[in-house]
Amino acid sequence: MPKHIFVTGGVVSSLGKGIASASIAKILEAKGLKVAIQKLDPYLNVDPGTMNPFQHGEVYVTDDGAETDLDLGHYERFTHSTLGRENNVTSGQIYYSVITKERRGDYLGGTVQVVPHITNEIKERIRDVSRNKRYDVVICEVGGTAGDIESLPFLEAARQFRHEVGRENSLFIHLTLVPYIKAAGELKTKPTQHSVGTLREIGIQPDILICRTEKKIDQAMKDKIALFCNVEPEAVIEARDVASIYECPLAFKEEGIDKVICQKLKIEYKAGSLHEWKKNVVDKALHPRHLVKIAVVGKYIELQDAYKSIYESLKHGGIANDTGVVIKRINSEKLETARSLEQLKGVSGILVPGGFGSRGIEGKLKAIQFAREKKIPFFGICLGMQCAAIEFARNVLDMKGAHSTEFNKKTPFPVISLLEEQQNVKDLGGTMRLGAYPCQIKKDTLAHKAYKVDEISERHRHRYEFNNEYREKFQKAGMRLSGVSPSGKLIEMIELEGHPWFLAVQFHPEFKSKPDRSHPIFREFIRSALAFQEEHGLKISTPVEPEIAKAEVPMKEKGEVHA
Ligand code: GLN
């Protein structure tokens, strides 16, 4: 039986529980422990697959085709684990399963209640993670903030879990905020005390507190928090803001969190080294030799989290090239009405990410045409590849009105269309082509140069496909079909002849990139962007922080379909 660590959050949301959990996992892995991470999400959607990215951020896809919370992306990027369906549990799934059992008559006439039926189901899901697998530690991150009505069943299940397995086998870590009040010139501990008080009311006494803060928390302040929150002073861990999220494991270790965890869980303490991580990831991310500017042209640009894995993967591609990547976020809808493509000038690479719905499509097409004609490195992902095919059809093959049937059912040239098996699908949830599929790569292509192997596996999340009827026409006009499914039926990668670097893929490579092991396509994209920059004298010398606009949901976004 593995040891279990429950990570909860208090005071406010967005404190970075996901990154904290992933960082703890990283530190424990460095000691040679085998660690799994699970996210428990309180909302009633069965999964985030149909949710608007403005509400939820990116949908992260696992190898086994689960549509999950973006925190799973952090877990996979920070650790060696490959996660699956059992690593993300939502209240929706829990209730769905309990109600299905009730309808089947499994409860033999009993009254079905939150306690014990929902909580028992949650405990089962927690145990599922390590069923038939050998883990030393399982970290369960509980979504939401202490005090929320919604997360109560999860917290109650965690409380019971600890009661059943005992103190030496389970641990509660609570992440809180210690705000700095400018006018008083002081850090304040009261919100932390209240938040711990809220947890205590439901029977949970945290063992370790991770305190997010802008300023240093000195020993006196730590002692005060320890006294009022009933934890040991060494169990008060400062988590000061860092320049790169990849520094967090180093900062936590520096604070000695691993010593406290090992001591409380009676795990033999081994120092473990994060030296490689520091050298190959953190130092490279903080002190890159070069800088390059990349445009990301999408429709969820206003929200930091909507393209999370793509932004991280670009950084990884940067790290692999000793380069800092300055990301210029461009709202594709704004490009539609723009008289000139001024916004795209001065960038050394253009990336068009995945998406759903017709808003902003014409802007993406304009950006792709610009990249194709001006020979700027271009990288298209999923909808980005579909748009590259549409743009090529319209502007190179002269197929006026070419489109995807997702956006125009009556287009005269449906270059992107539905496969037969998708045509009768009515439900939106979980019905796309999801998860890992193999793809064969043709020799002497950009794709082969990047991967250096003939067969790969990548994760998918889409319904529409390249229409095979147009294969020949595309190829004759210089579009190379560089990756196809083993059956030969599905086009997975396309690239342009006569262009220095133009590659678009139907899958989502961003779900498999890690800071210390950049995805090969991202690595090559940044490499080609550097070459473009050099050739065109576009050197940028100061790192400009990408501007993150406020996450306002555009009105027309409401009611739009996202799956
Ligand atoms: N909307 C497109 C499809 O369903 C692309 C999906 C995506 O980019 N993830 O095929």
Side-chain angles (χ1 to χ4, degrees), residues 381-392:
I381 295 179
C382 208
L383 181 62
M385 176 190 118
Q386 299 176 355
C387 286
I390 296 166
E391 193 278 324
F392 191 77

Side-chain angles (χ1 to χ4, degrees), residues 12-13 25 70 78 89 103 108-109 140 142 161 167 239 266 268 292 310 360 403 411 435 467 481 499 506-507 538:
V12 289
S13 59
L70 57 81
F78 277 68
V89 175
R103 291 288 81 184
L108 301 172
C140 294
V142 185
F161 196 94
R167 299 200 145 257
K266 301 268 181 301
E268 190 198 336
V292 74
I310 289 184
H403 225 320
T411 165
N467 186 342
L481 310 177
H499 187 292
Q506 186 56 80
F507 46 79
L538 292 172

Side-chain angles (χ1 to χ4, degrees), residues 96-120:
Y96 196 73
S97 136
V98 168
I99 291 169
T100 308
K101 286 182 189 164
E102 186 274 338
R103 291 288 81 184
R104 226 167 32 207
D106 287 7
Y107 297 114
L108 301 172
T111 307
V112 182
Q113 294 173 295
V114 173
V115 182
H117 301 97
I118 294 293
T119 45
N120 283 350

Side-chain angles (χ1 to χ4, degrees), residues 250 275 277-288 322:
L250 304 179
H275 178 72
W277 182 263
K278 180 175 183 308
K279 191 176 83 187
N280 300 334
V281 177
V282 179
D283 290 348
K284 288 264 161 62
L286 296 181
H287 312 290
D322 212 342

Side-chain angles (χ1 to χ4, degrees), residues 13 26 34 53 62 75 79 112-113 115 127 164 185 254 266 280 308 340 358 371 373 380 407 416 482 531 537 548:
S13 59
K26 175 86 211 160
K34 207 158 177 298
T62 54
Y75 305 164
T79 70
V112 182
Q113 294 173 295
V115 182
R127 291 201 175 90
E164 287 161 21
E254 183 81 28
K266 301 268 181 301
N280 300 334
K308 189 88 207 159
S340 73
S358 59
E373 291 176 351
F407 311 121
I416 305 293
S482 48
I548 302 163

